[in-house]
Amino acid sequence: MDSNLPCLLLFVLVGWVESSSDNVTRHFDYCVLGAGPSGLQMGHFLSKARRDYIILERNAGPGSFFHKYPRHRKLISINKIHTGRQNPEFNLRHDWNSLLSDRRDLLFKRVSSEFYPPADAYPLYLSLFEKELGLRVRYGVDIGRIRATQSATGRSYVLTDQHASDYKCSVLLVATGLWVPQQVEFVGSELVEGYESISTNPEDYRDQAVLILGKGNSAFETAQSIMGRASRVHMLSSSPVRLAWQTHYVGDLRAVNNELLDTYQLKSLDGLVEAQLEKMVIVQRQEEGRRRSGGKKTEKKKKKKKKKRHLYLTLNKYIQNQEERNRSDATAEELPAYHIDNFSMRKPYDRVIRCLGFRFNFSVFDSSACPPNSDNAKGRLPGVTAWYEGKSTPGLFVLGTAAHSRDHRQSAGGFIHGFRYTARAVHRVLEQRYHGSPWSSTKLLTTQLQAWILKRAGEASGPYQMFEVLGDVILLRGSHCEYVEEFPVQALPQFSALSGHEVSGQGLIVLVMQYGKKKIDYLGRNRAETDWTKAWKSNFLHPVLYYYDKLPTEEEMKLRPSGWPLPRPKALHHMVEDFLAEWDSPISHIQPLRRFLEHCVQTDLRAFYAESCFRWTLTHREPPLFCQQGYLKQQGVVHDTQLWQHAHDAGLMPTEQDAGTSGADPTFPSYLAHTGASVSSGLKLDL
């Protein structure tokens, strides 16, 4: 018997066992597909809640998109480290790269201090985030097929990887982002280079004429990189340039990339043109040039002909017999200059580059699990509900950039500083639906509501970044209220089912941040409104409160006024815009807010001194709510420590034994210390 036979049998047996184990179906409650920023953000929330989850990533590390993109290696997401404030929640308004966690030190500034950071810093930050939070990520798992199955226990999703191994989960969270290049099919599109594969060395474009298809940030990023070497750069798209500082949409052209606008407007060879890409044609012509030949040649070969390839842009209507001849070559009659002698793009180009953005990868889903194409964004995104669940795929949620169809060209949901909050909203929906954990809320006395609203308006980062998409919902319940933070406002008709909170007969208030809807000159003299009596005319970001006596219906949501995030309410209040984005001025902000809240709750919300409460108690059957919840329960706010100690020593403050008999409601903690605001409305209205 061959002595090597036992070893061979053992080797085969081990291989068979390993192969068999690879094909075992692994079961999880939650599968997160993709270890980019949105996938790791959801992983943190699932880990914190101690749920059964796995994050599957096809590459060897997190954030693989940022190893290649943006191609010219500079992010345009703000990394403002120095704000003059120590409030971490406020600082997230100006930190567009960090993910949310309970670790105050786990911020992007650990890896870069640059205002516009290098792209290579982001995978490094994501690696720190994953490792320091101990997230469960499995790398090297390339999911090639996703299908849905139905059983007695409900719907589930099965993900199959490159080794034919299956992962089965009750809830699938798709966080793959957008990485498939967006392309437009037209005659000659095979002659076009893609943003994903072009050279990023400016020297490769020396003295070349370049046409760029697209006018987004990737197109302008490319133009800005080569404009110092190229002979001319032209940019073409179906729509004019949209500037982010005019539209307030961070996906539009950012100032950091717009240097070509100078050379266009100051007439230095570069330019912008609008045309339908589907109607254009790219053709090439071989043109003869002459150059001297070197060495000892005969007289007949002194001049040598060289053919140079040039690309021309023309229109579909000028192309003759497209199907009968080679379309990559064109006659003079097929060029636009033959028909329009001053055609703007009549000169040839050396290169044509496509920079049209990216689309969602639908190809891995079979028909049972594939979310529909969105109605907006040219169908390149999956269509999702207001709570980011696939419209025809229950239990499949879309996270991150891919979920941007909900607020495309409206808010920041397609970017890290926006979708870190929508990921948290999705997790809260999951906790309520599958684990019976209601959306976290804060119980407040009604007299504390104004201070809490001012606190949120002044520091909250979620509604600030996801303006008009995420809002705070205040459930009015008479003498107290419940404050629910960062709810998707377009899902308001389903509020009770999604949040686990019921709306009482007193109604609700929704606080959102909004820009004005009027188109103005945002650098003009009258661009801002400072008169609080005309707060509804505010143009820049400002808080808006909607009061409803009952939840809006789905039909009312569909029929809401154009441009409004919510249906028309029973009462509406705009807090006038503020240059410092600090809504704490006594006359312009606090007093109008108090009067609006009084209208909603139908009670006096003024703050009173003890003497005034004493007079009210003696002269009225029902003193103001502030006196009922404070003075009449032997409670008050003393800001000075020595005065508080003096009052306590004098027996004027309730003891722990008195707390149970004083009528105080122990379920309401003292939130005013956290608000950083006084009990007072800011006015000494001692009437």
Side-chain angles (χ1 to χ4, degrees):
M1 181 176 178
D2 190 346
S3 60
N4 293 325
L5 186 58
C7 294
L8 179 61
L9 292 174
L10 179 62
F11 177 79
V12 172
L13 180 61
V14 170
W16 180 81
V17 170
E18 289 182 350
S19 176
S20 299
S21 64
D22 285 343
N23 293 324
V24 172
T25 299
R26 299 168 177 87
H27 296 264
F28 299 93
D29 290 341
Y30 297 95
C31 290
V32 181
L33 187 57
S38 62
L40 295 185
Q41 183 66 88
M42 178 55 72
H44 162 64
F45 294 130
L46 292 172
S47 178
K48 183 179 177 181
R50 299 185 178 182
R51 303 304 177 198
D52 177 35
Y53 77 97
I54 190 67
I55 302 174
L56 304 175
E57 169 59 46
R58 64 176 181 165
N59 292 290
S64 58
F65 179 89
F66 296 96
H67 286 298
K68 185 175 182 178
Y69 301 108
R71 294 300 314 282
H72 299 90
R73 312 312 293 144
K74 182 166 73 172
L75 300 176
I76 57 175
S77 47
I78 290 173
N79 183 37
K80 189 171 180 62
I81 295 175
H82 306 289
T83 64
R85 301 276 286 273
Q86 300 301 315
N87 185 326
E89 179 69 14
F90 173 85
N91 288 342
L92 280 173
R93 289 182 169 188
H94 312 286
D95 174 356
W96 290 12
N97 300 283
S98 296
L99 299 181
L100 305 178
S101 75
D102 297 329
R103 292 269 304 276
R104 291 194 176 188
D105 64 325
L106 197 51
L107 300 174
F108 184 77
K109 64 182 180 181
R110 281 179 56 180
V111 298
S112 177
S113 60
E114 295 185 41
F115 191 74
Y116 292 117
D120 291 329
Y122 210 74
L124 177 59
Y125 170 69
L126 293 180
S127 294
L128 288 175
F129 190 87
E130 178 232 321
K131 292 175 182 176
E132 296 192 13
L133 294 178
L135 304 183
R136 296 197 286 271
V137 186
R138 186 167 294 176
Y139 294 107
V141 179
D142 189 1
I143 298 299
R145 184 191 179 202
I146 300 173
R147 65 187 189 277
T149 61
Q150 196 73 34
S151 66
T153 57
R155 184 183 178 96
S156 59
Y157 290 89
V158 179
L159 291 67
T160 305
D161 68 10
Q162 73 272 33
H163 303 298
S165 297
D166 287 340
Y167 298 82
K168 189 173 184 179
C169 48
S170 302
V171 178
L172 174 59
L173 300 154
V174 180
T176 54
L178 306 179
W179 56 271
V180 180
Q182 173 77 352
Q183 301 189 36
V184 176
E185 292 298 325
F186 54 84
V187 177
S189 58
E190 72 279 0
L191 302 174
V192 175
E193 302 174 65
Y195 172 73
E196 67 279 3
S197 59
I198 59 170
S199 168
T200 56
N201 182 1
E203 288 298 326
D204 290 342
Y205 302 86
R206 180 179 290 275
D207 204 29
Q208 292 185 354
V210 180
L211 172 63
I212 297 177
L213 306 181
K215 294 199 195 102
N217 280 295
S218 63
F220 271 89
E221 162 209 326
T222 303
Q224 190 152 303
S225 171
I226 68 176
M227 59 188 291
R229 299 292 188 277
S231 60
R232 68 177 185 275
V233 178
H234 290 169
M235 306 184 73
L236 181 146
S237 70
S238 58
S239 59
V241 170
R242 291 182 286 248
L243 301 172
W245 59 266
Q246 287 182 326
T247 63
H248 306 301
Y249 174 59
V250 296
D252 284 336
L253 178 60
R254 303 286 300 287
V256 66
N257 282 330
N258 71 7
E259 291 180 10
L260 186 131
L261 295 183
D262 262 10
T263 57
Y264 169 47
Q265 291 294 331
L266 300 178
K267 303 307 293 180
S268 185
L269 298 178
D270 303 325
L272 309 178
V273 179
E274 286 73 51
Q276 293 291 331
L277 297 183
E278 295 83 357
K279 296 182 180 180
M280 60 174 259
V281 176
I282 300 294
V283 296
Q284 63 181 359
R285 297 193 72 198
Q286 303 292 346
E287 299 183 2
E288 292 186 354
R290 293 180 179 273
R291 66 181 178 90
R292 297 277 182 181
S293 60
K296 297 180 180 180
K297 300 291 181 181
T298 62
E299 198 69 84
K300 293 181 179 180
K301 294 184 179 180
K302 278 187 178 180
K303 293 182 180 179
K304 188 177 182 179
K305 292 183 179 180
K306 179 189 177 184
K307 290 186 177 182
K308 188 175 182 182
R309 170 181 174 271
H310 276 125
L311 301 176
Y312 283 85
L313 182 145
T314 185
L315 303 178
N316 237 326
K317 61 183 179 180
Y318 298 143
I319 298 298
Q320 304 169 3
N321 302 321
Q322 295 180 24
E323 300 172 356
E324 297 179 7
R325 62 166 188 79
N326 185 357
R327 65 184 181 184
S328 64
D329 195 14
T331 64
E333 291 80 5
E334 292 176 319
L335 299 182
Y338 182 86
H339 305 273
I340 306 173
D341 63 352
N342 67 338
F343 185 75
S344 57
M345 309 182 80
R346 58 188 178 273
K347 286 197 170 184
Y349 297 96
D350 296 292
R351 310 173 84 145
V352 180
I353 301 174
R354 165 182 41 77
C355 300
L356 301 175
F358 301 92
R359 63 182 294 109
F360 183 71
N361 181 24
F362 290 92
S363 65
V364 297
F365 299 89
D366 75 4
S367 58
S368 66
C370 189
N373 294 74
S374 61
D375 296 329
N376 57 8
K378 300 179 180 179
R380 60 190 182 91
L381 302 174
V384 295
T385 65
W387 51 96
Y388 302 98
E389 188 172 18
K391 287 186 175 179
S392 59
T393 53
L396 185 153
F397 292 80
V398 183
L399 308 175
T401 304
H404 193 30
S405 62
R406 285 310 311 179
D407 63 309
H408 185 250
R409 298 201 47 76
Q410 296 175 5
S411 195
F415 311 91
I416 296 168
H417 65 287
F419 65 61
R420 61 191 179 191
Y421 302 103
T422 58
R424 181 162 63 184
V426 170
H427 178 254
R428 288 169 172 169
V429 169
L430 298 176
E431 286 293 302
Q432 160 60 19
R433 179 186 294 185
Y434 298 106
H435 308 287
S437 300
W439 200 291
S440 59
S441 64
T442 303
K443 285 189 175 181
L444 297 167
L445 297 173
T446 301
T447 52
Q448 297 172 324
L449 178 57
Q450 176 183 273
W452 198 263
I453 289 175
L454 292 172
K455 166 187 165 65
R456 291 286 295 169
E459 72 174 31
S461 58
Y464 190 89
Q465 304 288 22
M466 288 302 297
F467 54 89
E468 303 187 17
V469 175
L470 298 181
D472 292 352
V473 179
I474 305 160
L475 305 174
L476 304 177
R477 307 200 187 284
S479 63
H480 69 281
C481 58
E482 284 189 76
Y483 202 104
V484 179
E485 298 178 359
E486 297 176 17
F487 187 82
V489 295
Q490 292 178 11
L492 205 58
Q494 294 82 22
F495 175 79
S496 297
L498 294 174
S499 70
H501 297 281
E502 296 296 329
V503 178
S504 72
Q506 281 81 16
L508 67 154
I509 298 172
V510 183
L511 168 65
V512 296
M513 304 294 287
Q514 291 182 207
Y515 281 97
K517 302 303 178 186
K518 185 178 179 182
K519 292 186 178 180
I520 63 167
D521 179 359
Y522 282 99
L523 295 179
R525 187 174 295 275
N526 299 316
R527 60 186 178 272
E529 181 59 64
T530 58
D531 184 351
W532 66 269
T533 65
K534 300 177 182 178
W536 57 277
K537 291 185 176 181
S538 296
N539 295 310
F540 290 88
L541 196 65
H542 62 286
V544 183
L545 293 96
Y546 294 73
Y547 168 69
Y548 300 93
D549 57 359
K550 59 182 179 181
L551 277 175
T553 64
E554 190 69 41
E555 186 67 17
E556 289 172 333
M557 185 64 72
K558 291 179 181 178
L559 299 177
R560 65 186 186 274
S562 176
W564 285 41
L566 287 166
R568 197 175 298 278
K570 292 291 183 181
L572 180 67
H573 177 67
H574 289 256
M575 296 179 69
V576 69
E577 61 186 304
D578 188 76
F579 180 73
L580 300 176
E582 297 176 358
W583 292 275
D584 57 2
S585 301
I587 303 298
S588 296
H589 300 126
I590 299 177
Q591 177 179 259
L593 173 62
R594 176 179 61 80
R595 290 178 174 171
F596 171 77
L597 294 176
E598 288 177 338
H599 171 77
C600 297
V601 301
Q602 292 295 297
T603 190
D604 191 340
L605 293 180
R606 290 177 295 173
F608 294 90
Y609 293 111
E611 295 177 359
S612 300
C613 285
F614 178 70
R615 288 200 303 270
W616 272 99
T617 305
L618 293 179
T619 57
H620 293 75
R621 290 186 176 181
E622 187 175 350
L625 193 59
F626 180 85
C627 297
Q628 295 179 39
Q629 296 177 344
Y631 175 77
L632 293 182
K633 293 183 178 181
Q634 301 180 9
Q635 295 177 1
V637 177
V638 181
H639 293 282
D640 186 273
T641 305
Q642 293 181 344
L643 287 176
W644 188 93
Q645 189 63 44
H646 175 73
H648 182 272
D649 295 341
L652 299 177
M653 302 295 290
T655 64
E656 293 183 3
Q657 295 178 348
D658 296 331
T661 59
S662 64
D665 189 340
T667 63
F668 296 107
S670 177
Y671 289 107
L672 290 170
H674 301 293
T675 66
S678 168
V679 171
S680 169
S681 66
L683 297 173
K684 292 184 179 180
L685 297 175
D686 186 19
L687 302 177

